[in-house]
Amino acid sequence: VSAMDWTPLKKVIDENESFLISSHVRPDADALGSELGMRAILLAMGKTVSIVNASAPPANLQFMNPAGLILKLNDTVTKATIPQHDVVIIVDTSAWQQLGSMADVIQASAAKRVVIDHHVSSDHMNALELKDVESAATGELICEAAEELGVTLDSDVANWLYAAIATDTGWFRFPSTTARTMRIVAKLMDRGAIPHYVYNLVHEQSSLARVRLGGRVMARTQIDAEGRLAWIYADGRDMAETGAVPSDTEGLVNVCLTVGGAEAAFVAVELQTGQIKFSLRSRVPHNVAAVAEQFGGGGHKLASGATLPGPLPAAVERIKAAFLNMLGTDPAVPADA
Ligand SMILES: [Mn+2]
């Protein structure tokens, strides 16, 4: 049984004919799966639907854009050529800024607005808000809506919604994963979702160069500050000899942070320009956004980045000094605790 009352959504769908669905910039599997799930619901109810986003799906999620049915603004469609719609349904975000260039389009439209989301941060969008911050994924909400609206999902949609929920829960590892999540996933499997198939498509498509680079650089993981800082580097020779590209270092910094006792981590990557690109990570209470800002970079408190001039050893020393300062001056508990 859904915690959400889906009656208002049913009413909006019944009273309108044409729908536009959109989601956040740099769409992830939850954004795309929720859009495709909502599309399936609307098609089953005899409506016309288009999906338009500000940015294209990433390379590893192309299976979630069959026949190019997810349109990209200012590419396959423009503000002037977006199909006519009575209602716009925004999924997996409630923040104007997250909609990128679609925000202007939606704000300029007279269409009724619906938001289906599970994020805490929220703008007033003058919309019918169907929001549940207890949901592990917007995909969960779409599954519940389908059930409440009496729509049976086919196996393609089941796989897309499975991808939405699996990725937003870190493959069911995050604390957001509930028994409700697992019940919904079981129903998706009944409809034809195949977990190993989805996992393979999303996560098991690395290039040989990427795996070889990862092994080579992880093998020389360094620790400092009695193990509180873990770090690695990939220099020009590593990249050339493995055939890897800078994006092949994505995720390695998170592996560094899995070293027991590590409170912070960084990865230094030598670019072809000679500049050194740093990815920085930390655990609470340390703030690597502040470290990145010292070098003209930025990001989030626990995940940030900065690019420094080379050579590599000098850049590493500067970043390491900033990390040691952060670890030494940030109390592990607030001073007044
Ligand atoms: Mn989500």
Side-chain angles (χ1 to χ4, degrees):
V1 178
S2 172
M4 183 88 76
D5 177 9
W6 293 102
T7 318
L9 179 65
K10 184 174 189 313
K11 189 165 180 285
V12 170
I13 296 173
D14 285 342
E15 290 174 354
N16 293 278
E17 291 310 316
S18 55
F19 293 78
L20 171 68
I21 304 173
S22 192
S23 188
H24 52 81
V25 289
R26 292 179 299 282
D28 57 10
D30 194 26
L32 299 168
S34 297
E35 290 182 320
L36 292 162
M38 195 65 231
R39 174 180 179 270
I41 291 170
L42 292 166
L43 290 179
M45 295 174 76
K47 309 298 173 176
T48 59
V49 192
S50 48
I51 303 175
V52 183
N53 292 333
S55 38
N60 67 326
L61 298 180
Q62 285 305 322
F63 76 102
M64 301 184 80
N65 188 17
L69 63 79
I70 296 179
L71 306 178
K72 183 181 169 233
L73 188 66
N74 299 327
D75 182 0
T76 42
V77 70
T78 68
K79 190 171 178 175
T81 60
I82 283 179
Q84 194 279 326
H85 53 277
D86 306 321
V87 181
V88 55
I89 302 183
I90 298 159
V91 296
D92 201 39
T93 183
S94 337
W96 286 119
Q97 207 200 344
Q98 284 295 307
L99 287 165
S101 54
M102 280 302 290
D104 288 343
V105 175
I106 295 166
Q107 282 170 343
S109 165
K112 202 179 297 284
R113 289 176 200 152
V114 177
V115 171
I116 305 176
D117 187 28
H118 70 133
H119 290 96
V120 178
S121 60
S122 179
D123 287 331
H124 182 67
M125 292 183 141
N126 193 22
L128 167 62
E129 274 210 6
L130 300 162
K131 195 154 162 152
D132 179 5
V133 298
E134 303 292 311
S135 262
T138 302
E140 279 190 6
L141 296 172
I142 301 294
C143 289
E144 291 178 343
E147 190 158 306
E148 292 290 317
L149 295 168
V151 172
T152 302
L153 304 171
D154 69 21
S155 61
D156 281 341
V157 180
N159 275 315
W160 295 327
L161 283 166
Y162 177 84
I165 298 167
T167 54
D168 256 31
T169 57
W171 305 88
F172 314 104
R173 290 176 299 138
F174 298 160
S176 57
T177 309
T178 61
R180 169 187 168 194
T181 308
M182 297 316 221
R183 284 187 199 100
I184 290 168
V185 165
K187 284 180 191 166
L188 288 174
M189 290 183 71
D190 287 339
R191 297 289 175 218
I194 306 171
H196 70 84
Y197 164 78
V198 174
Y199 189 85
N200 176 264
L201 288 173
V202 176
H203 281 300
E204 296 172 333
Q205 305 293 335
S206 297
S207 65
L208 182 59
R210 183 191 184 97
V211 173
R212 284 183 170 160
L213 178 81
R216 179 165 163 155
V217 302
M218 293 312 306
R220 55 182 187 228
T221 303
Q222 303 289 312
I223 55 166
D224 278 289
E226 279 122 31
R228 295 169 67 204
L229 169 63
W231 61 276
I232 56 168
Y233 69 88
D235 61 19
R237 199 173 145 193
D238 293 320
M239 309 304 281
E241 290 182 4
T242 58
V245 294
S247 64
D248 287 331
T249 60
E250 272 168 24
L252 295 180
V253 68
N254 299 314
V255 181
C256 275
L257 200 57
T258 66
V259 175
E263 298 169 36
F266 70 80
V267 170
V269 181
E270 187 176 21
L271 304 176
Q272 280 191 332
T273 58
Q275 290 180 300
I276 315 300
K277 182 176 162 288
F278 284 88
S279 296
L280 318 178
R281 296 290 184 275
S282 62
R283 297 193 189 283
V284 174
H286 306 301
N287 178 1
V288 285
V291 171
E293 282 160 15
Q294 293 171 39
F295 301 98
H300 305 285
K301 278 185 180 174
L302 304 183
S304 67
T307 302
L308 275 69
L312 182 76
V316 165
E317 285 311 310
R318 291 174 70 195
I319 288 284
K320 201 200 291 184
F323 266 84
L324 296 180
N325 186 47
M326 174 186 80
L327 292 169
T329 56
D330 287 353
V333 290
D336 58 353

